[in-house]
Amino acid sequence: MTPRKPKRPQLPFSDRPSPSSPTLAFLTELAGDGRALEFAIGTGRVGVPLRERGVPVVGIELSEHMAAVLRRKIDEDTLPVVIGDMATTVVPGGFTLVYLVYNTISNLLTQDEQVECFRNAARHLEPGGRFVIELGVPPLRLLPPGQVAVPFDVSERHLGFDTFDLVEQILVSHHFTREGEDGPYRRENSRHRYAWPAELDLMARIAGLELERRVADWNGSPFTQDSTKHISVWRKPA
Ligand SMILES: C[S@@+](CC[C@H](N)C(=O)[O-])C[C@H]1O[C@@H](n2cnc3c(N)ncnc32)[C@H](O)[C@@H]1O
C-alpha cells in the first residue's frame, strides 16, 4: 500500500529544517547594528548562523542538554547562553531584536506564561526594538465537530496525529514511531498551547508593544486567511 501523507498545514513540530537564508536575512535586518536575543535558542539552529553573519547573539534556553549541544558548535564568548525560562530570565544589556521561532511560544502552556514571555521580551528591548515570533495558525479548521484527532503523518515508520482541548487551547501531538522492521512502536507526546494572532497582539499590547508587520513566511509573503503560519513583528515605541 502506498503510504498516505496528508498535508499538515499547521505546527511542524516534528521536523527541524535548517534556517533558510530568508530567515537569517529577515532577522539580520531587524537586528540592525544592535544585539539579538533568542528565546529558547535550543541547539543554535538559528542563533549560530545568525552569529556567523555578524549579528551579536545571546540565548536563553531551559534545557542544559540542548545548550550543551549548542556549545559543541560555538564558544561561550562568541555566543553566550543563559540557562533559564524565557518568560522570566533576565540577561544584562539592551537588544534591538528579541526573537522566538519554531512555534516555541506554544511550549508555554498557559496564557499567563505567554503574557509574561511578551513582557520579558519588552523588558530586554531598547526603544524602537522588535520582538519577532514564528508560529503556526491554530489548525482548527481541520477538526470538524465530532472528530477527535487530526492525522498529520501516516507513513511506513511513523503515525502522527494531533488532539485538541478547545477549552484550554491545548494541542497534543502524538507520535508512534516504529523501531526496526516489525516494531515495536515507540510512543511520544508533546503538549502545546495554541493562540490566534489576535490573542498575541493583545499580549503584545499588555507588554507595551505595537504590531508592526505580520507576514506568512520569511520571504515576506502576505498573511491571508489561508496562511498556515505567521511571522509577526511587534515594536517597542521609541
Ligand atoms: C523546537 S525547539 C526550538 C529551538 C530553536 N529556537 C530552533 O529554532 O531550532 C524548542 C526549544 O525550546 C526550549 N524551551 C522550551 N520551553 C522553554 C522555556 N520556557 N524557556 C526557555 N526555553 C524553552 C526547549 O528546551 C527547546 O530547546
Side-chain angles (χ1 to χ4, degrees):
M1 192 176 104
T2 313
R4 281 188 308 123
K5 194 158 189 175
K7 186 164 175 275
R8 189 196 190 202
Q10 56 194 73
L11 312 175
F13 291 119
S14 54
D15 53 344
R16 295 221 173 142
S18 298
S20 63
S21 54
T23 308
L24 300 175
F26 194 107
L27 296 173
T28 302
E29 187 184 335
L30 288 182
D33 295 330
R35 301 193 306 153
L37 174 62
E38 180 168 353
F39 280 177
I41 193 168
T43 62
R45 183 183 66 95
V46 177
V48 169
L50 193 64
R51 181 68 190 91
E52 287 167 354
R53 285 174 71 112
V55 178
V57 177
V58 177
I60 294 177
E61 171 54 46
L62 196 59
S63 156
E64 292 193 15
H65 171 72
M66 298 292 267
V69 176
L70 175 148
R71 194 51 70 222
R72 282 186 229 136
K73 303 178 188 169
I74 196 162
D75 66 73
E76 175 74 24
D77 287 343
T78 312
L79 201 169
V81 174
V82 176
I83 299 296
D85 187 331
M86 61 188 170
T88 52
T89 301
V90 178
V91 305
F95 296 84
T96 50
L97 172 66
V98 178
Y99 65 96
L100 174 55
V101 295
Y102 210 63
N103 303 313
T104 306
I105 190 151
S106 71
N107 286 41
L108 300 173
L109 296 177
T110 65
Q111 187 184 60
D112 282 351
E113 286 177 287
Q114 293 185 353
V115 168
E116 281 313 305
C117 183
F118 272 82
R119 283 207 170 109
N120 202 29
R123 185 176 293 135
H124 286 92
L125 286 174
E126 294 171 353
R130 272 73 165 231
F131 182 36
V132 173
I133 278 187
E134 175 189 32
L135 184 64
V137 173
L140 293 181
R141 288 165 73 185
L142 299 175
L143 187 75
Q147 186 169 317
V148 295
V150 174
F152 57 82
D153 187 20
V154 181
S155 56
E156 281 298 307
R157 291 190 172 273
H158 179 249
L159 302 172
F161 58 88
D162 292 328
T163 55
F164 297 83
D165 177 337
L166 301 185
V167 175
E168 299 295 334
Q169 290 188 199
I170 297 291
L171 174 159
V172 182
S173 287
H174 305 258
H175 299 270
F176 292 81
T177 308
R178 197 175 72 196
E179 294 174 330
E181 280 308 306
D182 298 317
Y185 278 81
R186 180 166 40 88
R187 180 178 184 179
E188 290 168 309
N189 293 336
S190 59
R191 291 171 70 79
H192 306 272
R193 181 180 188 273
Y194 61 84
W196 299 98
E199 186 184 2
L200 300 180
D201 290 342
L202 273 178
M203 293 183 191
R205 278 199 200 194
I206 289 168
L209 305 174
E210 298 165 349
L211 180 67
E212 182 175 74
R213 190 176 180 209
R214 171 162 294 129
V215 291
D217 56 37
W218 295 107
N219 288 309
S221 305
F223 181 75
T224 71
Q225 60 180 336
D226 294 321
S227 297
T228 57
K229 75 170 204 176
H230 60 101
I231 318 288
S232 296
V233 182
W234 297 273
R235 185 169 180 272
K236 184 168 179 169

